[in-house]
Amino acid sequence: MMTTVDNRLQTLWEGCLRNDRKQQEMLYKALAPKMLAVCMRYANDKDEAQDILQEGFIKMFKNMSNYRGEGSLEGWIRRIMVHSAISRYRKAKNVVLVEDFAEQGIPVSTSYNDNGLEAGDLMNMVQQLPDTYRSVFNMYAIEGFSHQEISTKLGMSELLSRTTLHRARIILKEKLNRLAVRERHCMAG
């Protein structure tokens, strides 16, 4: 059984298929906040995320006939946003290789402290990762892409995808450790 939200999206979608501009605007307004959150995981800042969002919706409206009704409409649109972010990344091609971190003197640690981290804190940490690390981490850990798919989409080897994910996780763990130390100092102090 479809929920009220699903029914509303389906009604808006049917209007979009008839090229009803008002329905297109309403669909955009209904989904933009959720899709912006998806885009933020890949972007350096909110402005870039909004650009990705716009590009994604343009692609979606141009390719409406490609949605076959299989799976959720929202999931299909989300996939377009992810692919828009990947396309933007590939165009920029500011690839940061794994060895670049060592050259930048970024310390890494393998210890992990499970504290009461909020989702927003983790998202901020992910956004601080260099572009390549952030893209690979999001594609693998959030979107569920395989390393083979990531390597194809980002134009890198599977080994580099795996290594980049591993290094991104190490960097995130180090950030978590630093946060935990700060919290302990605040609580003690």
Side-chain angles (χ1 to χ4, degrees):
M1 177 168 42
M2 291 175 58
T3 66
T4 305
V5 173
D6 291 336
N7 287 333
R8 181 169 177 257
L9 287 179
Q10 187 59 38
T11 301
L12 292 173
W13 184 250
E14 290 167 6
C16 290
L17 291 172
R18 293 189 306 270
N19 289 321
D20 181 330
R21 296 287 182 211
K22 186 68 177 165
Q23 297 293 309
Q24 290 174 344
E25 179 183 354
M26 290 172 64
L27 180 71
Y28 176 86
K29 286 181 179 178
L31 293 177
K34 284 184 182 178
M35 297 305 139
L36 182 60
V38 171
C39 297
M40 283 292 294
R41 288 199 306 265
Y42 292 89
N44 290 316
D45 55 39
K46 191 167 184 174
D47 289 337
E48 185 178 13
Q50 288 173 329
D51 289 345
I52 295 168
L53 179 75
Q54 294 303 317
E55 291 168 13
F57 269 105
I58 289 168
K59 286 179 187 176
M60 187 269 310
F61 284 123
K62 284 183 178 178
N63 295 292
M64 288 187 300
S65 62
N66 292 344
Y67 177 63
R68 297 181 300 258
E70 299 168 4
S72 77
L73 174 63
E74 190 173 325
W76 181 74
I77 295 170
R78 180 174 189 234
R79 199 84 167 154
I80 291 172
M81 297 300 154
V82 170
H83 286 284
S84 294
I86 292 167
S87 293
R88 177 176 273 262
Y89 164 81
R90 289 183 78 183
K91 285 177 191 169
K93 206 60 171 177
N94 291 330
V95 178
V96 177
L97 298 175
V98 173
E99 294 79 19
D100 291 347
F101 265 115
E103 292 172 10
Q104 293 173 18
I106 297 174
V108 290
S109 166
T110 57
S111 62
Y112 175 73
N113 186 333
D114 186 14
N115 55 25
L117 185 69
E118 294 183 17
D121 296 328
L122 185 56
M123 185 173 167
N124 287 336
M125 289 179 192
V126 171
Q127 282 184 297
Q128 292 171 10
L129 292 171
D131 293 346
T132 302
Y133 286 56
R134 184 177 58 244
S135 293
V136 170
F137 180 83
N138 281 321
M139 290 173 74
Y140 185 85
I142 309 293
E143 305 300 336
F145 285 94
S146 70
H147 286 292
Q148 182 179 14
E149 291 170 313
I150 294 169
S151 69
T152 300
K153 292 184 183 305
L154 298 183
M156 62 174 53
S157 70
E158 280 186 56
L159 178 60
L160 182 55
S161 174
R162 289 177 194 282
T163 304
T164 302
L165 175 65
H166 175 73
R167 293 296 174 116
R169 285 178 171 164
I170 289 172
I171 292 166
L172 290 172
K173 286 178 183 179
E174 178 61 29
K175 288 179 181 290
L176 287 170
N177 286 334
R178 282 189 232 139
L179 180 64
V181 168
R182 269 189 245 125
E183 285 180 8
R184 281 195 298 267
H185 286 296
C186 288
M187 292 166 86

